[in-house]
Amino acid sequence: MSLIQNAAYFAWSDTKARYKKSVLGPFWPTLTNLLGVVGLSLVWAELMNQDMQSFVPQLAIGLIAWQLISGVLLDAPMVFVRQAPMIRNVAIPSWFFVFRALARHLINLLHNAVIVVGVLTYSDIPMTHETWWFIPSLLLVVLNLYWSMHLLGLLGARFRDIEHLVNGVVPILFFISPVIYRADRLPEGFNLVWLNPLSYMIEAIRAPLLGQPIPSLTYPVLLGMLVVGACLTWAHQRTSGKNLAFWV
């Protein structure tokens, strides 16, 4: 098998091993997320004075997108450190470990897709031409998460403080990311949310699934992040990646 196939196989094996001998298996997080969506919807729909039928899909997709993004970022600084024995003893390219970790999060996303289908059906949101923009949007988000994980992994292997920094910053980003609320419904002039790059990732995933146009700056920002981030990651890997086995 190719390295990509091996990485995907290991990611699936990691997922199965985590829920070994469990009745629901990987659907336990899905059940937890479903209960979270129901509970938060009952509270926040009332606080924000919104109709449940429109608020539930907005919240559900926002939470699931956030879970993917935050999960990758929190996992990133230790992605190489956790595989230290293999890195020290086997000549495997660093991208293999990043792909394996990212694939594990995408498998979790597939399980959570059950919730998305359910809430879209509940809210009677039809498929339109806007819906299909979800595919390139998700691809752009995943590519940005890949370079982010790779770069943070390299930095985290060399500087262990990166893990604590990321663990401290990501929860704060939750409050300035449009997870529970929609960015287009904020008061005029409240642009702080758009200074957060994660906002573009969330809206890129959520807007098309809700049958709404993607905010105009979303694709340019995500493409710019991808080009700049990929170049930085490539440069750091090329200049310092050979020391990875010594860092871990």
Side-chain angles (χ1 to χ4, degrees):
M1 290 192 297
S2 68
L3 281 177
I4 293 180
Q5 290 174 314
N6 281 327
Y9 172 78
F10 279 122
W12 178 244
S13 298
D14 292 341
T15 303
K16 289 198 298 183
R18 181 180 178 185
Y19 300 102
K20 187 178 181 181
K21 297 184 179 180
S22 170
V23 176
L24 293 181
F27 283 101
W28 269 114
T30 303
L31 177 60
T32 303
N33 289 333
L34 179 59
L35 294 175
V37 168
V38 173
L40 288 173
S41 295
L42 292 173
V43 175
W44 283 96
E46 185 68 24
L47 290 175
M48 301 176 72
N49 195 28
Q50 291 194 29
D51 176 60
M52 284 284 288
Q53 194 168 7
S54 61
F55 183 76
V56 169
Q58 165 191 317
L59 175 65
I61 299 171
L63 283 175
I64 291 170
W66 172 257
Q67 188 176 70
L68 169 67
I69 296 166
S70 63
V72 169
L73 294 179
L74 291 172
D75 204 19
M78 300 298 286
V79 67
F80 296 126
V81 176
R82 293 193 184 102
Q83 302 297 328
M86 187 177 293
I87 292 173
R88 291 175 187 149
N89 295 288
V90 184
I92 298 179
S94 59
W95 65 260
F96 173 88
F97 302 101
V98 180
F99 187 89
R100 173 181 175 179
L102 182 58
R104 189 170 63 250
H105 290 282
L106 292 176
I107 291 171
N108 293 334
L109 177 67
L110 287 175
H111 286 102
N112 287 326
V114 174
I115 299 176
V116 175
V117 173
V119 297
L120 292 180
T121 303
Y122 161 77
S123 300
D124 198 25
I125 296 177
M127 286 188 62
T128 65
H129 68 279
E130 300 285 354
T131 308
W132 296 106
W133 283 100
F134 165 75
I135 297 174
S137 295
L138 181 60
L139 178 61
L140 264 179
V141 170
V142 170
L143 290 174
N144 273 294
L145 290 176
Y146 173 83
W147 73 255
S148 299
M149 179 172 256
H150 201 146
L151 183 59
L152 286 172
L154 292 172
L155 294 174
R158 187 173 185 181
F159 308 105
R160 300 303 166 85
D161 288 330
I162 297 295
E163 178 190 11
H164 303 290
L165 176 63
V166 171
N167 287 338
V169 170
V170 169
I172 297 174
L173 290 176
F174 175 84
F175 296 103
I176 54 173
S177 299
V179 179
I180 297 176
Y181 54 86
R182 291 294 306 275
D184 57 3
R185 294 180 180 175
L186 292 173
E188 188 175 353
F190 191 84
N191 295 320
L192 178 62
V193 68
W194 293 118
L195 297 178
N196 172 14
L198 304 189
S199 298
Y200 298 93
M201 295 186 182
I202 294 171
E203 285 298 327
I205 294 174
R206 179 165 54 192
L209 289 176
L210 295 179
Q212 299 171 356
I214 298 172
S216 57
L217 286 177
T218 301
Y219 273 4
V221 170
L222 290 179
L223 287 170
M225 287 169 53
L226 179 59
V227 171
V228 173
C231 290
L232 288 174
T233 304
W234 176 82
H236 192 48
Q237 172 67 33
R238 187 173 178 83
T239 56
S240 304
K242 59 182 178 294
N243 298 317
L244 183 59
F246 299 100
W247 293 339
V248 297

